[in-house]
Amino acid sequence: MAVQDRDLVRAFWDAASDRISEATDLWIALEQGDAGASRSLKRLLHTMKGEAHMLGLADCGHLLQAMEGVVEGASKSMSEGAGDAILTALDTISAMAASEGALEIDLEETLARLAAAAAAAPTETHADAAPAESESRAEHVEHARPSLDPARLGPLVHEARRLHREHSLLHPALREVRRMLRALLSEIDPQLPPEALAERIVKTLGYGAEIERRMGDLAAQWSTHEFALEMALEQLEDTVRSAAMVSVAALKSQVHRAARSTAHALGKRVELLVSGDAYVDASVERSLGPALLHLVRNAVDHGIESEAARIAAGKSPVGRIEITIHQTDSSVQVIVEDDGGGVDLERMRARLRHEGDDSELLQRIFEQGVTTRDEVTDISGRGVGLDVVAREVAAVGGSVRVESDRGRGTRFEIVLPTMLRADIVVPIECRGTRLAIPVREVLAVERIGEPVRASDGWRLARGPANQADLVPLFDLGALFGSAEPPRAGDVAVITHHRTGVFALRVDGYDNPRPMAFERIDELAVRSDVVRGVAPAPDGGVYFLLDADATHATLRGRVASSAARPSVMPRRAVPHVLVVEDAPVARELLLGILRSFGLKVSDASDGKQGLLLARTERPDLILTDVEMPFLGGLEMIAELRGDAALREVPVIVLTTRSEPAVRDRARALGVRGFLSKQRFVETELRQVIDECLAR
């Protein structure tokens, strides 16, 4: 076969999926009395048949020709078995398309069923001169495809380029500030006598103030550009998400074929009704498809009883399955319910030796390997099916619930996000809590060899023994108040925060997978170390950890320490938290405080300072006023609203000394207000001693 012919064959099979979905919709419309669907369906089958024969796809061509005969008869009188024959043939062509014709399929039975259905229909045909049938609405159904709108992308690209140019203008200013800082530091020689060093520092304070002013200007410009860039990225993300939105209408034809073929194989009669539509992220639609197919097959096989059993129970001999699709602004609800016999909970209880209540037992139907069948058939009995539903739904951040009434039927409810906000994450578990870390923040997952005990905590040795890197090792259980010392063989997740690498000892982990998380700031709950929540298949949740906040929370704790009591005893060595965004000033203050014999920890902004204050409970807080993310006075206001930290004394050290700032600080109960311009070490020590009453 020539290369061009191979390309044409591949194009034929690529188009087959949409054509099969359209043919299924048209056939269902014909069954429901839409006479115009016959003309549209015959035209579609005729087109496919002609292409198949031209490309040498004889088996496919024979099937399509036989299907034409059935449709011709069905346009006058629907014969028994016609629907099963047509949908089985469409399933067969779908299987051919999936393998691009490479799959060897025995067509004898399918062709025989088509022939029988065609023979059962009336023999007279419509004359060519007969009035043209009205065009079926189903012919005009378009299966939505993701598409990008250049008109929406153009302005975003332009904005990104503008921000990039303006961003580049900040670099010369930043280099100048660095030059000034180096000059300032060169003036301060640690080798000078204390008196000379103090005099040199006083002389350079003005220069330092100018550096701080320029840094403030740079930070403001940087923040403005960062905000604009974030807005542009949000719009770009929305545009890409919108491009990935597709209709779930194409799934309707698939579930109709699944219901028909399963019912035929089991000798049952089933009526399937589908109502509603929704537009979802293409990834959500790809997970919804397998879930729906499994639920429909499960309903036909396990839910709908045999005709004899239904008649004996006073039911219609024809089983009924209803699928209802409902869309809201942020989610899609899909309900699959049947009027069958319901779940045999007593049989499940006996098989699983379950001692809990019925609602808990019913949810176990989603576990792998759970089945109430004694025999294995081509359709069921292996305990595979509903666990697939749970996995597919959970993979895109959805949830699934089941209700069942013995003798009256079963109802499954799936709730999925309309748009997928997924992270590829490493699921982990600690103290019975399921957590996750984004793959992009994970360097490795490995077993701990021999943990190394250091003066300030544990270390994980990585690399050859003679060149090993000692990575800080924390027990993630410290977040839950139950830290344990690490042991050889424990699992460690090596991750990184903004400035370094650290390891987390966890109880277990799983393979990376996509999970769709709701951001924590969109929910009613709040957590400093969690930035998102995703539902688990069994109704639980996964918490997405923030690596920076997790590191900040765990840093400074001894991994083997017990949980802190709610009322902290007075420490022999007072602990001071320094909250300062200027690195040089922060290191200077830390050195001074250590020389006072104090234990110190530090934060680079008010938000991080608030987090550390709540986790470390310092005896004193020393803070600046103007800082990114959360200012010093705003942080103090948050502390005053926390019962556990309300009485912690706070000292403000700032360049802002105007009366309004002093008055607000005084109103917040600040114990000391010091100016950086006239900073005196002895004055700082006096205020600290008064706050700590030492």
Side-chain angles (χ1 to χ4, degrees):
M1 182 183 292
V3 173
Q4 183 179 3
D5 292 339
R6 287 199 298 270
D7 291 341
L8 291 173
V9 170
R10 187 175 297 110
F12 175 84
W13 291 127
D14 287 343
S17 177
D18 285 344
R19 286 173 160 180
I20 291 168
S21 293
E22 184 180 357
T24 304
D25 291 337
L26 289 166
W27 176 260
I28 293 169
L30 179 58
E31 284 187 320
Q32 295 172 350
D34 185 351
S38 173
R39 182 182 181 90
S40 301
L41 181 54
K42 283 188 289 185
R43 182 185 303 156
L44 175 60
L45 295 177
H46 185 78
T47 300
M48 292 181 68
K49 179 187 71 174
E51 292 178 356
H53 283 305
M54 289 176 61
L55 295 171
L57 306 175
D59 287 347
C60 185
H62 293 327
L63 275 178
L64 291 162
Q65 184 170 349
M67 291 168 68
E68 280 187 289
V70 176
V71 174
E72 182 68 31
S75 64
K76 297 178 287 295
S77 176
M78 187 70 65
S79 63
E80 185 176 357
D84 288 341
I86 286 289
L87 295 178
T88 299
L90 288 172
D91 276 338
T92 302
I93 297 175
S94 180
M96 291 178 173
S99 66
E100 295 190 354
L103 185 66
E104 293 186 7
I105 300 175
D106 185 359
L107 303 180
E108 185 176 346
E109 181 181 353
T110 304
L111 289 171
R113 291 171 66 179
L114 289 169
T123 55
E124 64 271 15
T125 60
H126 290 288
D128 292 339
E133 296 169 333
S134 61
E135 293 293 327
S136 168
R137 288 187 304 242
E139 181 181 14
H140 302 291
V141 173
E142 295 182 2
H143 299 297
R145 289 286 186 183
S147 60
L148 285 173
D149 183 0
R152 294 184 65 186
L153 284 178
L156 295 175
V157 173
H158 175 77
E159 177 68 2
R161 286 176 175 170
R162 183 189 69 80
L163 290 170
H164 177 72
R165 287 193 297 269
E166 293 192 7
H167 192 73
S168 64
L169 296 177
L170 296 176
H171 289 283
L174 184 60
R175 285 195 294 271
E176 174 62 16
V177 170
R178 285 175 176 169
R179 184 194 64 77
M180 294 174 66
L181 182 59
R182 284 195 296 269
L184 172 63
L185 294 177
S186 66
E187 288 290 320
I188 303 175
D189 185 359
Q191 304 301 321
L192 291 173
E195 296 80 6
L197 181 59
E199 182 182 357
R200 187 71 59 86
I201 291 175
V202 171
K203 289 181 178 179
T204 56
L205 280 178
Y207 198 42
E210 174 63 17
I211 292 176
E212 185 175 21
R213 186 191 66 77
R214 293 199 181 192
M215 289 293 290
D217 291 343
L218 282 172
Q221 294 179 57
W222 190 286
S223 178
T224 301
H225 294 157
E226 188 175 43
F227 177 79
L229 181 59
E230 183 67 24
M231 292 293 293
L233 289 175
E234 284 285 345
Q235 294 178 39
L236 179 60
E237 187 177 19
D238 287 342
T239 301
V240 173
R241 284 176 179 169
S242 298
M245 300 295 282
V246 297
S247 169
V248 301
L251 296 178
K252 298 178 182 180
S253 61
Q254 297 179 29
V255 295
H256 270 287
R257 294 200 304 273
R260 287 288 189 89
S261 61
T262 306
H264 177 80
L266 295 171
K268 297 179 179 180
R269 286 194 290 164
V270 175
E271 178 186 19
L272 177 67
L273 301 177
V274 183
S275 61
D277 194 6
Y279 282 84
V280 297
D281 189 287
S283 298
V284 174
E285 191 258 2
R286 283 195 294 270
S287 288
L288 177 59
L292 271 183
L293 291 176
H294 280 288
L295 286 179
V296 168
R297 291 192 180 106
N298 180 78
V300 176
D301 186 17
H302 292 273
I304 303 300
E305 313 95 325
S306 66
E307 287 191 24
R310 291 181 65 84
I311 293 172
K315 298 181 179 181
S316 166
V318 180
R320 184 183 181 91
I321 301 173
E322 291 189 52
I323 299 176
T324 306
I325 302 170
H326 176 67
Q327 184 160 30
T328 67
D329 290 339
S330 60
S331 65
V332 173
Q333 179 192 53
V334 181
I335 297 174
V336 181
E337 52 188 334
D338 63 69
D339 66 348
V343 178
D344 189 344
L345 291 177
E346 293 306 316
R347 195 175 184 86
M348 281 187 65
R349 190 183 303 278
R351 281 181 173 271
L352 299 175
R353 296 185 176 90
H354 183 86
E355 297 180 356
D357 58 28
D358 287 351
S359 60
E360 180 184 346
L361 174 62
L362 188 57
Q363 299 308 314
R364 296 192 62 185
I365 200 170
F366 296 110
E367 294 180 7
Q368 185 174 8
V370 173
T371 179
T372 57
R373 287 289 175 86
D374 292 322
E375 74 282 357
V376 175
T377 68
D378 291 338
I379 297 174
S380 67
R382 295 179 175 83
V384 177
L386 293 182
D387 64 308
V388 174
V389 174
R391 286 201 306 271
E392 291 288 347
V393 170
V396 291
S399 62
V400 58
R401 295 176 59 252
V402 58
E403 299 173 358
S404 187
D405 190 350
R406 189 63 176 155
R408 301 183 63 180
T410 304
R411 182 181 189 270
F412 290 89
E413 179 183 348
I414 297 174
V415 178
L416 299 167
T418 300
M419 302 183 77
L420 188 62
R421 288 187 287 192
D423 262 311
I424 305 297
V425 299
V426 176
I428 57 178
E429 184 169 335
C430 185
R431 307 300 188 271
T433 301
R434 284 174 288 197
L435 307 150
I437 302 176
V439 164
R440 61 180 177 272
E441 295 176 356
V442 176
L443 301 180
V445 179
E446 58 188 52
R447 295 285 178 180
I448 298 174
E450 283 296 332
V452 179
R453 184 66 181 269
S455 59
D456 58 346
W458 293 94
R459 297 288 185 272
L460 173 68
R462 302 191 70 214
N466 58 343
Q467 298 178 348
D469 291 329
L470 295 179
V471 176
L473 174 62
F474 304 104
D475 181 11
L476 195 55
L479 293 179
F480 310 101
S482 58
E484 297 177 357
R487 300 178 299 272
D490 286 349
V491 176
V493 179
I494 292 85
T495 185
H496 55 82
H497 57 100
R498 281 178 291 186
T499 59
V501 176
F502 67 105
L504 296 171
R505 194 204 73 80
V506 299
D507 297 333
Y509 73 100
D510 205 344
N511 293 327
R513 67 185 66 168
M515 287 188 190
F517 289 86
E518 288 292 327
R519 292 200 304 268
I520 197 73
D521 57 6
E522 296 178 353
L523 305 177
V525 297
R526 292 290 183 269
S527 171
D528 293 320
V529 298
V530 175
R531 69 168 185 242
V533 180
D538 59 1
V541 294
Y542 282 93
F543 296 103
L544 183 67
L545 289 178
D546 183 299
D548 291 332
T550 299
H551 177 261
T553 301
L554 296 174
R555 186 182 60 176
R557 295 185 177 187
V558 178
S560 59
S561 64
R564 297 178 184 271
S566 57
V567 179
M568 298 295 291
R570 193 69 177 171
R571 285 177 281 247
V573 178
H575 177 194
V576 180
L577 171 62
V578 176
V579 188
E580 169 64 68
D581 63 322
V584 174
R586 185 169 66 248
E587 289 301 319
L588 175 65
L589 287 171
L590 291 174
I592 292 173
L593 295 174
R594 290 190 187 102
S595 71
F596 293 171
L598 300 171
K599 177 183 176 181
V600 294
S601 58
D602 63 285
S604 58
D605 59 70
K607 184 178 179 181
Q608 188 182 31
L610 188 62
L611 172 67
L612 285 177
R614 287 171 172 167
T615 55
E616 298 186 354
R617 305 236 184 130
D619 300 304
L620 173 67
I621 297 174
L622 181 62
T623 182
D624 193 4
V625 170
E626 292 186 318
M627 294 181 291
F629 304 115
L630 188 68
L633 297 180
E634 290 74 19
M635 180 191 72
I636 298 170
E638 291 280 348
L639 293 171
R640 294 301 180 244
D642 189 325
L645 299 170
R646 188 174 298 146
E647 302 301 324
V648 174
V650 179
I651 299 172
V652 169
L653 180 62
T654 180
T655 58
R656 298 279 304 276
S657 58
E658 56 265 40
V661 176
R662 286 181 174 272
D663 290 344
R664 189 180 177 198
R666 190 178 301 111
L668 290 170
V670 168
R671 299 282 293 275
F673 194 101
L674 304 179
S675 172
K676 287 183 178 178
Q677 282 91 338
R678 46 183 300 275
F679 173 76
V680 179
E681 184 176 320
T682 54
E683 183 180 0
L684 174 63
R685 180 158 194 166
Q686 180 181 351
V687 176
I688 290 175
D689 287 342
E690 291 173 356
C691 290
L692 298 176
R694 340 184 269 165

